[in-house]
Amino acid sequence: MKKIVFPILISLVLVGCNGKSDDNEVIGQPEGKITANGEQYIMMPSNYEWKENNMEVKDISPHDRVKLAGNFETLEAEKGDTLKLEIDKKPSSVEMIKVNEDDTIERIEMKDNEIILPSEEGYYIYELNATWDKGKITFLFDVYVK
């Protein structure tokens, strides 16, 4: 009897936790993507808070930009190239900063969800802070401009 009840119980739990709401909308934190040279990359999420349909997810801890950027496949691009950014679920506000090799920080202006890379060769870490009415997330990625 236990051999039959246990698999049925597991199946019911998995079906009940399928991550979809009643209207089949997928629940969960948004994803951030970058398109560069025709290739798409997923940004590294950090410091997120998300609350949706009685479900809450939090990871609020001091983040190490260099360590997080190390988990991202560093993009290689040319001076002045344009990167297209796409963030799920249309955030209500977006703020982007660029961390230079000397650890100075600059605000970056996005226009039509695009940024233009620096005209100077070097390694840069980009941090994008996005906010929705259901939460907030920080995305990171790094670029080597040649």
Side-chain angles (χ1 to χ4, degrees):
M1 180 82 167
K2 288 182 184 178
K3 290 181 182 180
I4 295 172
V5 173
F6 188 68
I8 291 172
L9 182 60
I10 293 295
S11 297
L12 289 173
V13 169
L14 292 175
V15 168
C17 298
N18 68 1
K20 294 189 177 190
S21 64
D22 293 337
D23 60 1
N24 287 335
E25 179 184 339
V26 176
I27 297 172
Q29 72 185 41
E31 190 173 69
K33 300 173 192 144
I34 307 160
T35 302
N37 302 318
E39 297 285 325
Q40 195 171 66
Y41 305 86
I42 297 174
M43 291 185 260
M44 300 302 300
S46 174
N47 287 345
Y48 55 86
E49 293 181 43
W50 197 259
K51 187 174 182 178
E52 188 171 355
N53 294 348
N54 298 322
M55 179 180 75
E56 188 170 347
V57 179
K58 284 187 180 188
D59 179 22
I60 305 299
S61 58
H63 70 270
D64 180 342
R65 286 184 183 113
V66 175
K67 183 178 178 183
L68 282 168
N71 293 329
F72 181 81
E73 180 183 340
T74 303
L75 298 175
E76 289 190 13
E78 298 293 324
K79 300 173 186 172
D81 276 358
T82 300
L83 300 181
K84 176 95 172 148
L85 304 171
E86 179 185 333
I87 302 167
D88 294 341
K89 301 186 183 191
K90 296 181 183 174
S92 56
S93 72
V94 174
E95 177 182 286
M96 178 168 263
I97 62 168
K98 174 182 73 169
V99 181
N100 301 307
E101 287 180 302
D102 64 0
D103 287 330
T104 57
I105 295 174
E106 296 177 45
R107 273 195 200 284
I108 300 298
E109 187 175 327
M110 288 187 356
K111 185 174 182 180
D112 298 325
N113 293 327
E114 294 181 341
I115 61 168
I116 298 173
L117 293 177
S119 58
E120 295 181 24
E121 183 176 326
Y123 174 76
Y124 302 92
I125 296 175
Y126 287 84
E127 181 177 296
L128 186 146
N129 296 297
T131 305
W132 297 259
D133 62 340
K134 296 180 181 182
K136 61 184 178 177
I137 302 175
T138 298
F139 295 107
L140 279 111
F141 66 94
D142 60 345
V143 179
Y144 178 73
V145 175
K146 41 186 177 163

